């Protein structure tokens, strides 16, 4: 018997069908974010860097992708090291704009044709994000909620174009493109006219959503947030704002794990959201003390989110996206570890002995449910994970460091 076969029979004792779990796991898409590869810089200008908007990248590890070709090369490496289905989440600032500068209110489908072609070749579907930061017209901290009409119109135009591009991507790929809208709007210190700013944002969104696109082409997600660097006192697009807006306008929420108090239980929110909304977009992230976007790990918080997706029976209605960026370590390694950790959490959640846990809970035997979870924590999970990697042709855990190091030596060093 191989160690996998042994593991499989151990899980079977709890009524868990490992083969069915492995087959299901392979079909769950994870939307990989493009922005881990170049520190959220984008390719609008040769020296593009992340600026403003309450998010920050720290570190200067060598080897960052300097061109779209390099980013694609890195992504191809990353995708070869992870198993299962993937999507690619693109930011609007990652278009192929040619030699002339194309401002955000000028972007068009053609700027993303190269990505659509690449995605087809790679067998991944695209998701999209408006880029409302790293721009002079976002420097005062307001975009769609700006009281400066010229600024607001600029960003409304950007948002409308993003929706049109997302719908086009959806048509091209035959799978709905999920468009996430996150805006940085807010203030560092106490604000008198919170009501006013929020009314402006509502008005902007109403206008942006006037055009309807079929759900099989694109779907809108609105990303909620509690605070950011430079928006400590007030974020216009707060949780309450978007929860109400989304519920009334049939939009979905984007729940980012870094956008809450750090000891809030993000997993606990999902059953409430999914009871009232058909779908939700997740930004799986790892906040450390603040919305720091550390590389996602296979930790309790991520496991709990995955467990909730499985337990609620809503796994298929949830769009799993990643959102982290660390420039202080090998970026390919960071990407791969984050993607694999999310995949591990899904495997972990699918392997839980749901029926037994429910039985104990419903019969009032809380301790037995607790003890069973503890037992599960020491089952040979790693043997099942290794088997998943083998079957999906992705890197085995034991080979990962060597494979990433080899790429670093052969490709990334040349970029220094
Ligand atoms: C910022 C949001 C947003 C960004 C990306 C780059 O707080 O989380 O999702 O991280 O759009
Ligand atoms: Zn996010």
């Amino acid at each position: 018997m191989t160690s996998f076969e042994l593991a499989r029979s151990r899980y079977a004792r709890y009524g868990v069908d490992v083969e069915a779990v492995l087959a299901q796991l392979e079909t769950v898409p994870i939307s990989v974010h493009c922005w881990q590869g170049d520190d959220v810089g984008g390719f609008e200008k040769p020296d593009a860097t992340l600026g403003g908007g309450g998010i920050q990248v720290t570190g200067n590890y060598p080897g960052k992708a300097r061109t779209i070709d390099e980013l694609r090369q890195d992504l191809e490496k990353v995708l070869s090291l992870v198993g299962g289905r993937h999507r690619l989440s693109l930011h609007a600032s990652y278009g192929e704009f040619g030699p002339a500068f194309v401002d955000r209110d000028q972007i068009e489908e053609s700027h993303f044709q190269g990505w659509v072609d690449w995605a087809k070749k790679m067998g991944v579907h695209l998701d999209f994000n408006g880029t409302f930061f790293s721009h002079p017209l976002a420097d005062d901290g307001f975009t769609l909620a700006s009281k400066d009409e010229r600024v607001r119109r600029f960003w409304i135009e950007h948002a409308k174009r993003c929706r049109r591009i997302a719908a086009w991507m959806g048509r091209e790929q035959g799978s709905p493109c999920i468009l996430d809208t996150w805006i940085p709007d807010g203030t560092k210190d106490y604000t008198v006219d919170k009501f006013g700013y929020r009314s402006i944002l509502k008005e902007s969104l109403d206008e942006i959503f006037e055009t309807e696109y079929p759900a099989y082409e694109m779907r809108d997600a609105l990303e909620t947030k509690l605070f950011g660097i430079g928006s400590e006192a007030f974020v216009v697009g707060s949780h309450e704002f978007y929860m109400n807006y989304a519920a009334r306008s049939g939009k979905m929420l984007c729940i980012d794990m870094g956008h809450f108090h750090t000891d809030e239980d993000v997993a606990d929110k999902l059953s409430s959201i999914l009871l009232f909304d058909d779908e939700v977009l997740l930004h799986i992230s790892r906040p450390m003390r603040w919305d720091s976007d550390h590389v996602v790990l296979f930790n309790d918080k991520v496991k709990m989110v995955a467990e909730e997706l499985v337990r609620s029976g809503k796994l298929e209605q949830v769009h799993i996206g990643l959102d982290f960026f660390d420039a202080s370590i090998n970026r390919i390694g960071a990407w791969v570890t984050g993607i694999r950790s999310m995949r591990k959490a899904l495997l972990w959640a699918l392997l839980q002995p749901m029926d037994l846990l429910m039985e104990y809970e419903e019969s009032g035997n809380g301790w037995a449910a607790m003890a069973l979870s503890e037992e599960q924590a020491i089952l040979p999970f790693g043997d099942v994970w290794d088997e998943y990697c083998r079957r999906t042709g992705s890197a085995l855990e034991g080979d990962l460091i060597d494979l990433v190091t080899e790429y670093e030596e052969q490709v990334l060093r040349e970029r220094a």
Side-chain angles (χ1 to χ4, degrees):
M1 245 201 212
T2 65
S3 55
F4 167 67
E5 285 162 349
L6 265 173
R8 191 173 56 190
S9 62
R10 286 194 65 186
Y11 279 99
R13 256 189 272 160
Y14 301 89
V16 176
D17 179 351
V18 170
E19 292 297 336
V21 164
L22 289 176
Q24 190 184 355
L25 182 62
E26 216 178 317
T27 66
V28 181
I30 293 178
S31 192
V32 175
H33 54 313
C34 70
W35 52 92
Q36 160 60 45
D38 73 327
D39 315 337
V40 208
F43 297 104
E44 292 171 311
K45 294 176 192 153
D47 57 345
T49 47
L50 175 65
I55 51 177
Q56 223 174 46
V57 185
T58 49
N60 194 19
Y61 198 83
K64 142 170 147 177
R66 297 159 301 183
T67 61
I68 290 196
D69 285 340
E70 288 182 354
L71 189 73
R72 285 187 190 139
Q73 181 185 19
D74 291 353
L75 275 165
E76 285 170 24
K77 184 68 195 174
V78 166
L79 291 174
S80 78
L81 297 173
V82 296
R85 275 178 57 204
H86 298 95
R87 300 175 65 94
L88 176 71
S89 184
L90 267 187
H91 242 289
S93 50
Y94 286 68
E96 278 163 293
F97 301 113
F101 174 67
V102 178
D103 214 343
R104 305 266 171 88
D105 63 344
Q106 299 296 321
I107 58 167
E108 282 175 10
E109 287 83 335
S110 60
H111 300 131
F112 299 90
Q113 184 65 55
W115 281 112
V116 166
D117 296 342
W118 180 84
K120 275 188 189 148
K121 182 189 93 184
M122 295 299 295
V124 303
H125 292 147
L126 298 174
D127 293 319
F128 202 48
N129 303 257
T131 310
F132 296 84
F133 49 83
S134 305
H135 191 281
L137 292 185
D139 276 353
D140 73 347
F142 286 96
T143 62
L144 293 178
S146 177
K147 290 193 177 188
D148 180 335
E149 194 54 15
R150 189 179 71 95
V151 170
R152 194 174 77 95
R153 299 260 39 113
F154 175 86
W155 292 111
I156 288 177
E157 184 58 30
H158 177 62
K160 286 182 177 171
R161 283 170 183 254
C162 285
R163 295 186 75 228
R164 204 181 72 199
I165 292 167
W168 165 78
M169 284 177 173
R171 282 196 299 279
E172 288 286 316
Q173 64 193 12
S175 165
C177 173
I178 309 299
L179 172 67
D180 182 39
T181 297
W182 173 73
I183 58 164
D185 299 36
T187 58
K188 185 178 173 78
D189 222 325
Y190 300 119
T191 300
V192 179
D193 194 19
K194 292 186 172 187
F195 192 90
Y197 284 114
R198 289 194 167 124
S199 332
I200 296 173
L201 177 55
K202 179 178 177 298
E203 210 178 300
S204 299
L205 293 174
D206 287 347
E207 181 180 335
I208 291 163
F209 296 135
E210 263 167 18
T211 308
E212 292 212 25
Y213 293 100
Y216 56 81
E217 290 183 355
M218 68 85 65
R219 301 177 197 181
D220 290 288
L222 297 166
E223 187 168 353
T224 73
K225 188 162 177 165
L226 173 67
F227 76 96
I229 292 189
S231 58
E232 289 84 353
F234 173 50
V235 167
V236 185
S238 61
H239 303 310
E240 295 75 10
F241 177 91
Y242 281 129
M243 284 214 155
N244 283 290
Y245 191 89
R248 289 186 184 207
S249 60
K251 301 293 170 198
M252 78 174 100
L253 294 170
C254 171
I255 298 295
D256 184 308
M257 291 178 71
H259 290 190
F260 299 85
H261 289 292
T262 42
D263 60 359
E264 257 182 275
D265 179 0
V266 176
D268 176 58
K269 301 171 192 304
L270 297 174
S271 47
S272 303
I273 295 170
L274 289 164
L275 188 62
F276 297 99
D277 298 350
D278 294 334
E279 48 192 345
V280 69
L281 170 64
L282 295 178
H283 268 187
I284 303 295
S285 195
R286 179 164 59 103
M288 195 180 293
R289 305 190 192 283
W290 63 288
D291 180 26
S292 58
D293 292 288
H294 278 69
V295 177
V296 167
L297 298 179
F298 180 49
N299 64 13
D300 284 349
K301 288 200 172 177
V302 177
K303 282 184 200 168
M304 281 161 76
V305 165
E307 279 171 354
E308 190 50 45
L309 302 186
V310 172
R311 291 175 178 177
S312 62
K314 301 281 185 188
L315 186 54
E316 273 154 35
Q317 275 109 295
V318 177
H319 309 281
I320 302 169
L322 303 174
D323 186 8
F324 56 83
F325 30 95
D326 189 340
S328 74
I329 53 176
N330 180 312
R331 291 174 186 79
I332 311 305
W335 237 331
V336 167
T337 290
I339 300 167
R340 289 169 68 101
S341 299
M342 183 63 223
R343 185 67 69 185
K344 282 181 197 157
L346 289 166
L347 175 60
W348 174 267
L350 289 166
L351 284 173
Q352 58 184 324
M354 267 282 278
D355 295 343
L356 259 184
L357 286 168
M358 282 280 266
E359 201 178 303
Y360 288 140
E361 185 170 287
E362 286 179 350
S363 65
N365 198 346
W367 173 77
M370 177 195 280
L372 181 54
S373 297
E374 286 292 288
E375 220 175 305
Q376 190 205 8
I378 55 163
L379 285 185
F381 172 81
D383 292 328
V384 183
W385 171 251
D386 281 348
E387 181 66 14
Y388 178 77
C389 294
R390 251 178 246 120
R391 290 190 188 182
T392 55
S394 59
L396 286 176
E397 209 65 28
D399 298 334
L400 197 57
I401 298 174
D402 285 347
L403 290 168
V404 171
T405 306
E406 190 184 275
Y407 186 77
E408 170 157 15
E409 281 162 2
Q410 289 172 1
V411 180
L412 302 182
R413 290 244 170 101
E414 302 295 309
R415 295 180 190 168

